[in-house]
Amino acid sequence: DLPRPSISAEPGTVIPLGSHVTFVCRGPIGVQTFRLERESRSLYSDTEDVSQVSPFASEARFRIDSVSEGNAGPYRCIYYKDRKWSDQSDYLELLVKGEDVTWALPQSQLAPRACPQ
């Protein structure tokens, strides 16, 4: 079976409105396509711009130049290798921080939590 990919965000998962964020999807060597999925499988972007970062790992980077409240929410990665898709990574929750409000969608599924200043 294909190992599950991992997902991380640079510089982090709490991004000020209008700043940039880069999602990093990482998987094994030989990945042909990485896919960044948003909340459900219906919202996604694919890239074949895959780089080898070690003898055992490859990754792809998905950059959002200027985040808006619409970018908040859960993201996950999958990849395509050996003519099949991998399992999904864990979800990564992107929080978008405005002047006095933090967007995290969908609110209905999230427990209230304080946002450190």
Side-chain angles (χ1 to χ4, degrees):
D1 275 1
L2 296 173
R4 289 178 67 201
S6 65
I7 183 171
S8 59
E10 297 170 0
T13 56
V14 181
I15 303 297
L17 198 62
S19 298
H20 73 270
V21 64
T22 301
F23 291 101
V24 182
C25 296
R26 189 168 281 203
I29 286 299
V31 170
Q32 293 157 277
T33 302
F34 276 101
R35 174 173 291 178
L36 180 69
E37 292 183 343
R38 173 83 192 284
E39 288 177 67
S40 69
R41 286 178 172 264
S42 59
L43 291 168
Y44 63 84
S45 55
D46 285 354
T47 183
E48 294 180 10
D49 183 15
V50 177
S51 54
Q52 184 170 330
V53 292
S54 82
F56 314 105
S58 58
E59 72 175 30
R61 304 173 82 83
F62 297 86
R63 182 180 164 101
I64 300 174
D65 285 322
S66 179
V67 300
S68 67
E69 55 268 37
N71 295 124
Y75 290 80
R76 63 187 178 183
C77 290
I78 61 173
Y79 64 84
Y80 189 74
K81 180 186 174 181
D82 300 332
R83 297 194 297 281
K84 60 181 181 243
W85 287 99
S86 70
D87 289 334
Q88 293 101 341
S89 68
D90 291 333
Y91 273 113
L92 182 76
E93 186 78 31
L94 184 69
L95 305 180
V96 177
K97 191 177 163 86
E99 292 299 312
D100 53 358
V101 62
T102 298
W103 289 277
L105 303 175
Q107 254 106 5
S108 61
Q109 297 171 17
L110 289 177
R113 57 182 166 208
C115 190
Q117 292 299 321

